[in-house]
Amino acid sequence: MINKRVFTDTKDKLIKINILVVSSFLIIFSLFTFFYFQSITYNSIDDKLKEEYEYISIQVNRSSYLNPIVLNDPRDLVYIYKDDRLIYYTKSDYFEAYIPPEESDNTNICFTYKEGNYTFRELSVTINNVKIRIIRNIDSELSSLKQLLFVIGIGIVFSIVITYFVALYLTRKALSPIENAWYTQAKFIQDASHELRTPITIVSSKLQSLLTVPNNTINDEVETIADAMNETRRLKKMIKDLLSLSKEDAIIQLNLEEVNISDLLEEIYRDYADIATIQNKLLKYENNLTNSLIKTDKNKLKQLLLIFIDNAFKYTNINDEVRFKLDERDNKIICTIMDTGIGIKESDLHHIFDRFFRSDNVRNMDMDGSGIGLSIAKMISVNLNCKIKPYSVLDEGSKFEIVIPREIS
Ligand SMILES: Nc1ncnc2c1ncn2[C@@H]1O[C@H](COP(=O)(O)OP(=O)(O)OP(=O)(O)O)[C@@H](O)[C@H]1O
Ligand SMILES: [Mg+2]
């Protein structure tokens, strides 16, 4: 439950950060675009007002009733003052009644002001007691700018909504492997503690049973003590395996060297020949290699092969056969470890590499082991670039093919 909340909180945070970053960029970019267009618009109006001024200033001295002032752009309003006396103003249906405010002392600059419902831009120039004011209604330009602002606003909202969904998708995709690793780890701890509990419970119950018979001698209770010792041995092996599993998980440090795989298998064969004799089992070794040299981590490869060989001996009965075989295929070495033992159910074959998995028949037979061996083998095989192919028929036997590359790439 807590883990779920950690992931939901992280997802929420990542989404918020994404939206914040994207919307900040969008807003900055939009404001820049808007102010850029606004300045272009005002510059173009000012240029036109200046053009108008040039056009009129030529006419000012020549104007008379017969020769009235003509405007370049009929949209402009022109007011001409001589010695502060209005000597000319443009007649317009639209602006007829309008006399611009006198308070502005600006000369030679363009400025904007509002009058009633209208907005104007004015250029006021004074030369030798003559003041020329050119005024233009800029409502249409302002309305275009407002429209631009509206479109930008809609664009920002739309982009934020899209960003939200994209961020949601990407965050889920990015977090899912971490989430999976987290849950696998949690399951591993659960399984490990469950598996460790069984031997500890047995040991404590055996010790408790000893307490109920304080007058008995060690000889009387030898069986109980042996059982407890067996369980502690099991516990010790399990802890060792768990440790090697976690180490394998953490560091993948390979010690690569030239290895003669035939020599390695022969060495293992010699070690197990005695065990086979003691257990009344048949051990065979076949080598079909022409070139036995490979480059790999010798210790890890030996550890890998021993896990399968150990299983082959563990899951066979008296008079059963265990066989190792070395072959060559596509410039790869195939090491086959076969046995004519108890075999594995087809439905179990997919699970044998899972941590703590043991077939029901094996659990019922109360055989030594904790179901970690093959999961360690799987990890080593990944490190050594090997492939493992399991084949098995229940009650007939098992075969594990380990495909070993000549060199780890
Ligand atoms: N050669 C085999 N024949 C039959 N069953 C096998 C063989 N090898 C593996 N299995 C099945 O796969 C299971 C997992 O094997 P694995 O080696 O991981 O664990 P284990 O042998 O039970 O314990 P340990 O961790 O001590 O090796 C075994 O419990 C057994 O059910
Ligand atoms: Mg095993």
mmCIF file of all heavy atoms in Angstrom, residues 237 241 306-308 310-312 314-315 358 368-374, ligand 2:
data_model
loop_
_atom_site.group_PDB
_atom_site.id
_atom_site.type_symbol
_atom_site.label_atom_id
_atom_site.label_comp_id
_atom_site.label_asym_id
_atom_site.label_seq_id
_atom_site.Cartn_x
_atom_site.Cartn_y
_atom_site.Cartn_z
ATOM 1 N N LYS A 237 22.950 -23.096 4.338
ATOM 2 C CA LYS A 237 23.085 -23.163 2.872
ATOM 3 C C LYS A 237 22.171 -22.126 2.213
ATOM 4 O O LYS A 237 22.560 -21.434 1.270
ATOM 5 C CB LYS A 237 22.715 -24.567 2.386
ATOM 6 C CG LYS A 237 22.865 -24.677 0.870
ATOM 7 C CD LYS A 237 22.417 -26.006 0.327
ATOM 8 C CE LYS A 237 22.532 -26.075 -1.190
ATOM 9 N NZ LYS A 237 21.625 -25.239 -1.912
ATOM 10 N N ASP A 241 23.209 -19.173 -0.220
ATOM 11 C CA ASP A 241 22.639 -19.027 -1.568
ATOM 12 C C ASP A 241 22.017 -17.650 -1.758
ATOM 13 O O ASP A 241 22.185 -17.011 -2.800
ATOM 14 C CB ASP A 241 21.566 -20.095 -1.805
ATOM 15 C CG ASP A 241 22.184 -21.453 -2.053
ATOM 16 O OD1 ASP A 241 23.416 -21.500 -2.219
ATOM 17 O OD2 ASP A 241 21.451 -22.454 -2.062
ATOM 18 N N LEU A 306 27.926 -26.836 -12.023
ATOM 19 C CA LEU A 306 27.726 -27.629 -10.795
ATOM 20 C C LEU A 306 26.276 -27.577 -10.310
ATOM 21 O O LEU A 306 25.796 -28.546 -9.723
ATOM 22 C CB LEU A 306 28.675 -27.163 -9.687
ATOM 23 C CG LEU A 306 30.145 -27.559 -9.867
ATOM 24 C CD1 LEU A 306 30.980 -27.114 -8.677
ATOM 25 C CD2 LEU A 306 30.294 -29.076 -10.050
ATOM 26 N N ILE A 307 25.612 -26.457 -10.545
ATOM 27 C CA ILE A 307 24.203 -26.341 -10.119
ATOM 28 C C ILE A 307 23.372 -27.417 -10.831
ATOM 29 O O ILE A 307 22.556 -28.110 -10.222
ATOM 30 C CB ILE A 307 23.656 -24.924 -10.420
ATOM 31 C CG1 ILE A 307 24.325 -23.913 -9.488
ATOM 32 C CG2 ILE A 307 22.125 -24.879 -10.274
ATOM 33 C CD1 ILE A 307 24.051 -22.459 -9.811
ATOM 34 N N PHE A 308 23.629 -27.620 -12.154
ATOM 35 C CA PHE A 308 22.862 -28.619 -12.909
ATOM 36 C C PHE A 308 23.289 -30.041 -12.525
ATOM 37 O O PHE A 308 22.453 -30.935 -12.409
ATOM 38 C CB PHE A 308 23.065 -28.398 -14.414
ATOM 39 C CG PHE A 308 22.444 -27.108 -14.876
ATOM 40 C CD1 PHE A 308 23.220 -25.974 -15.072
ATOM 41 C CD2 PHE A 308 21.072 -27.024 -15.077
ATOM 42 C CE1 PHE A 308 22.648 -24.787 -15.477
ATOM 43 C CE2 PHE A 308 20.493 -25.831 -15.484
ATOM 44 C CZ PHE A 308 21.287 -24.705 -15.677
ATOM 45 N N ASP A 310 24.608 -30.966 -9.679
ATOM 46 C CA ASP A 310 24.100 -31.204 -8.322
ATOM 47 C C ASP A 310 22.628 -31.635 -8.369
ATOM 48 O O ASP A 310 22.224 -32.600 -7.716
ATOM 49 C CB ASP A 310 24.271 -29.903 -7.519
ATOM 50 C CG ASP A 310 23.808 -30.057 -6.091
ATOM 51 O OD1 ASP A 310 24.371 -30.914 -5.398
ATOM 52 O OD2 ASP A 310 22.866 -29.330 -5.682
ATOM 53 N N ASN A 311 21.844 -30.933 -9.201
ATOM 54 C CA ASN A 311 20.428 -31.303 -9.347
ATOM 55 C C ASN A 311 20.286 -32.697 -9.951
ATOM 56 O O ASN A 311 19.447 -33.492 -9.512
ATOM 57 C CB ASN A 311 19.697 -30.302 -10.246
ATOM 58 C CG ASN A 311 19.317 -29.044 -9.489
ATOM 59 O OD1 ASN A 311 19.420 -28.998 -8.267
ATOM 60 N ND2 ASN A 311 18.893 -28.024 -10.203
ATOM 61 N N ALA A 312 21.120 -32.977 -10.967
ATOM 62 C CA ALA A 312 21.025 -34.280 -11.643
ATOM 63 C C ALA A 312 21.237 -35.414 -10.635
ATOM 64 O O ALA A 312 20.537 -36.424 -10.672
ATOM 65 C CB ALA A 312 22.061 -34.355 -12.759
ATOM 66 N N LYS A 314 20.833 -35.060 -7.337
ATOM 67 C CA LYS A 314 19.823 -34.975 -6.275
ATOM 68 C C LYS A 314 18.498 -35.608 -6.704
ATOM 69 O O LYS A 314 17.822 -36.250 -5.913
ATOM 70 C CB LYS A 314 19.634 -33.497 -5.903
ATOM 71 C CG LYS A 314 18.859 -33.310 -4.630
ATOM 72 C CD LYS A 314 19.174 -32.020 -3.908
ATOM 73 C CE LYS A 314 18.799 -30.796 -4.675
ATOM 74 N NZ LYS A 314 18.956 -29.583 -3.880
ATOM 75 N N TYR A 315 18.141 -35.393 -7.968
ATOM 76 C CA TYR A 315 16.815 -35.829 -8.413
ATOM 77 C C TYR A 315 16.853 -37.133 -9.209
ATOM 78 O O TYR A 315 16.052 -37.360 -10.105
ATOM 79 C CB TYR A 315 16.130 -34.699 -9.195
ATOM 80 C CG TYR A 315 16.003 -33.457 -8.338
ATOM 81 C CD1 TYR A 315 16.682 -32.281 -8.658
ATOM 82 C CD2 TYR A 315 15.246 -33.490 -7.169
ATOM 83 C CE1 TYR A 315 16.588 -31.157 -7.840
ATOM 84 C CE2 TYR A 315 15.153 -32.373 -6.345
ATOM 85 C CZ TYR A 315 15.834 -31.223 -6.678
ATOM 86 O OH TYR A 315 15.741 -30.127 -5.862
ATOM 87 N N ARG A 358 10.048 -25.019 -6.130
ATOM 88 C CA ARG A 358 10.373 -26.445 -6.047
ATOM 89 C C ARG A 358 9.112 -27.200 -6.455
ATOM 90 O O ARG A 358 8.017 -26.842 -6.040
ATOM 91 C CB ARG A 358 10.760 -26.858 -4.612
ATOM 92 C CG ARG A 358 11.882 -26.046 -4.022
ATOM 93 C CD ARG A 358 12.450 -26.691 -2.784
ATOM 94 N NE ARG A 358 13.393 -27.738 -3.169
ATOM 95 C CZ ARG A 358 13.783 -28.708 -2.351
ATOM 96 N NH1 ARG A 358 13.288 -28.796 -1.147
ATOM 97 N NH2 ARG A 358 14.644 -29.611 -2.760
ATOM 98 N N ASP A 368 16.426 -32.145 0.501
ATOM 99 C CA ASP A 368 17.199 -30.961 0.856
ATOM 100 C C ASP A 368 17.158 -29.936 -0.279
ATOM 101 O O ASP A 368 17.191 -30.318 -1.438
ATOM 102 C CB ASP A 368 18.667 -31.391 1.046
ATOM 103 C CG ASP A 368 19.092 -31.123 2.469
ATOM 104 O OD1 ASP A 368 18.185 -30.938 3.304
ATOM 105 O OD2 ASP A 368 20.319 -31.104 2.719
ATOM 106 N N GLY A 369 17.146 -28.681 0.053
ATOM 107 C CA GLY A 369 17.170 -27.666 -1.007
ATOM 108 C C GLY A 369 16.196 -26.548 -0.732
ATOM 109 O O GLY A 369 15.272 -26.699 0.075
ATOM 110 N N SER A 370 16.421 -25.433 -1.390
ATOM 111 C CA SER A 370 15.557 -24.286 -1.124
ATOM 112 C C SER A 370 15.012 -23.653 -2.401
ATOM 113 O O SER A 370 14.339 -22.635 -2.356
ATOM 114 C CB SER A 370 16.343 -23.244 -0.332
ATOM 115 O OG SER A 370 17.623 -23.083 -0.913
ATOM 116 N N GLY A 371 15.308 -24.263 -3.558
ATOM 117 C CA GLY A 371 14.761 -23.725 -4.814
ATOM 118 C C GLY A 371 15.466 -22.470 -5.287
ATOM 119 O O GLY A 371 14.878 -21.661 -6.006
ATOM 120 N N ILE A 372 16.712 -22.295 -4.884
ATOM 121 C CA ILE A 372 17.440 -21.088 -5.301
ATOM 122 C C ILE A 372 18.465 -21.408 -6.393
ATOM 123 O O ILE A 372 18.799 -20.568 -7.216
ATOM 124 C CB ILE A 372 18.153 -20.429 -4.089
ATOM 125 C CG1 ILE A 372 17.115 -20.041 -3.044
ATOM 126 C CG2 ILE A 372 18.906 -19.170 -4.498
ATOM 127 C CD1 ILE A 372 17.734 -19.502 -1.777
ATOM 128 N N GLY A 373 18.929 -22.680 -6.404
ATOM 129 C CA GLY A 373 20.009 -23.079 -7.309
ATOM 130 C C GLY A 373 19.820 -22.601 -8.744
ATOM 131 O O GLY A 373 20.681 -21.899 -9.291
ATOM 132 N N LEU A 374 18.670 -22.930 -9.347
ATOM 133 C CA LEU A 374 18.486 -22.594 -10.763
ATOM 134 C C LEU A 374 18.331 -21.093 -10.997
ATOM 135 O O LEU A 374 18.659 -20.613 -12.081
ATOM 136 C CB LEU A 374 17.295 -23.361 -11.344
ATOM 137 C CG LEU A 374 17.525 -24.870 -11.557
ATOM 138 C CD1 LEU A 374 16.310 -25.521 -12.210
ATOM 139 C CD2 LEU A 374 18.762 -25.127 -12.412
HETATM 140 MG MG MG B 2 19.295 -27.396 -6.912
#
